[in-house]
Amino acid sequence: MNIYALWMTKFGALSPLRQVAIMVGMATISSDILAALAFFVIGLQTPYRVVGVTTVIVVLVSLPLGAFLIGLNFKLKQLAAQLDLESRRDDLTGLLNRAEFYLQTQRLFLASRPMDSAGALLYIDADHFKAINDRFGHATGDEVIHEIGQVIKANIGGRDLAARIGGEEFTVFLTDADLGRANWISHKILIAARTIGRELELDKTPTTVSIGIALHDPGQSLEETLAVADKYLYSAKHQGRNRVVYG
């Protein structure tokens, strides 16, 4: 951390009253020093000199203080933006959290024409995840969840939405997708997830996912679409897991 950043951090930690006192004190001391120098160097015998020196002092004092305040405001805006982003993301995977996924998906539903489908929804669940936690520990389980999140992000488009909505449960909304694209992307995720156990050296323990696909019907709510996808996910589990099921 450089001196400026350290000073900004310490200054920002002070109370507002102390911050104001420090800025006023710095401005006063700087102005007094510059006024004294001007008096002894060029003299202040005429009104013109007094006005000119005062103007120069104001500019010289206000520029660094203004730059400091602008820099502080910029840092605060960056921090606020970062906190806002973090509040909408899942810490472990970097995907959207449940609330943000619901909000953004519902916006897509409202933006679509009443007679058109908004896209396709994937409901994804890690298979036998409790067994991984029990055998290798929760830290390894977290690594598996993280890697599943990376697999999902790597296989969807920029207009698509992905979220972790529970412990080992994920949802993906493929904007304007038909069943063909949804099935293709689901199988890409399915195949990529199988390599996670090998990459994490889980002693040949399989890491697989089950996926249920639901197309959004025109006028259908998000909850209704999720219920259909959940039904197909349940079917995938009962058919032996490690598969994609849709209607």
Side-chain angles (χ1 to χ4, degrees):
M1 183 180 293
N2 58 39
I3 295 176
Y4 176 75
L6 183 63
W7 161 244
M8 291 280 282
T9 301
K10 289 185 175 181
F11 183 81
L14 298 175
S15 67
L17 184 61
R18 289 188 176 183
Q19 291 181 15
V20 171
I22 288 173
M23 287 190 290
V24 171
M26 290 173 61
T28 301
I29 292 171
S30 301
S31 299
D32 289 346
I33 292 173
L34 290 172
L37 287 174
F39 179 81
F40 288 110
V41 173
I42 63 175
L44 299 175
Q45 290 84 2
T46 65
Y48 302 105
R49 287 188 176 181
V50 172
V51 171
V53 168
T54 302
T55 301
V56 171
I57 290 173
V58 169
V59 171
L60 291 177
V61 171
S62 61
L63 278 177
L65 286 177
F68 172 76
L69 292 174
I70 290 171
L72 184 60
N73 184 56
F74 178 72
K75 290 287 185 183
L76 289 174
K77 286 184 176 180
Q78 280 188 317
L79 179 60
Q82 182 180 351
L83 291 174
D84 178 61
L85 179 62
E86 290 177 355
S87 71
R88 295 183 281 117
R89 297 280 176 180
D90 171 63
D91 292 339
L92 190 56
T93 63
L95 301 178
L96 300 176
N97 59 30
R98 176 191 289 267
E100 187 65 18
F101 178 80
Y102 274 50
L103 178 64
Q104 293 196 29
T105 306
Q106 286 170 337
R107 286 175 180 168
L108 290 175
F109 282 21
L110 292 173
S112 63
R113 296 191 304 174
M115 69 289 295
D116 291 339
S117 168
L121 190 143
L122 315 182
Y123 210 142
I124 306 168
D125 187 77
D127 297 328
H128 301 297
F129 184 69
K130 184 177 183 302
I132 293 175
N133 271 338
D134 291 344
R135 183 176 180 185
F136 300 99
H138 289 278
T140 299
D142 286 348
E143 287 187 69
V144 171
I145 292 298
H146 172 78
E147 290 303 315
I148 292 174
Q150 300 311 299
V151 164
I152 292 172
K153 280 195 285 189
N155 286 285
I156 63 175
R159 297 174 60 228
D160 303 325
L161 305 173
R164 179 185 177 211
I165 61 170
E168 66 271 20
E169 295 181 340
F170 302 83
T171 52
V172 174
F173 190 77
L174 304 173
T175 306
D176 296 329
D178 57 13
L179 188 57
R181 178 170 181 258
N183 186 40
W184 174 59
I185 289 178
S186 294
H187 277 88
K188 287 177 66 179
I189 293 171
L190 193 79
I191 293 168
R194 294 170 184 161
T195 68
I196 293 173
R198 183 170 64 252
E199 292 170 356
L200 296 180
E201 300 180 348
L202 299 186
D203 191 25
K204 297 183 180 180
T205 299
T207 51
T208 62
V209 297
S210 298
I211 305 176
I213 302 175
L215 284 180
H216 168 248
D217 288 333
Q220 194 176 49
S221 69
L222 175 58
E223 289 75 14
E224 291 169 333
T225 309
L226 277 168
V228 175
D230 187 38
K231 179 185 72 173
Y232 290 128
L233 173 62
Y234 185 81
S235 178
K237 293 286 188 181
H238 277 264
Q239 291 180 36
R241 297 178 170 84
N242 188 26
R243 66 192 63 227
V244 177
V245 174
Y246 51 88

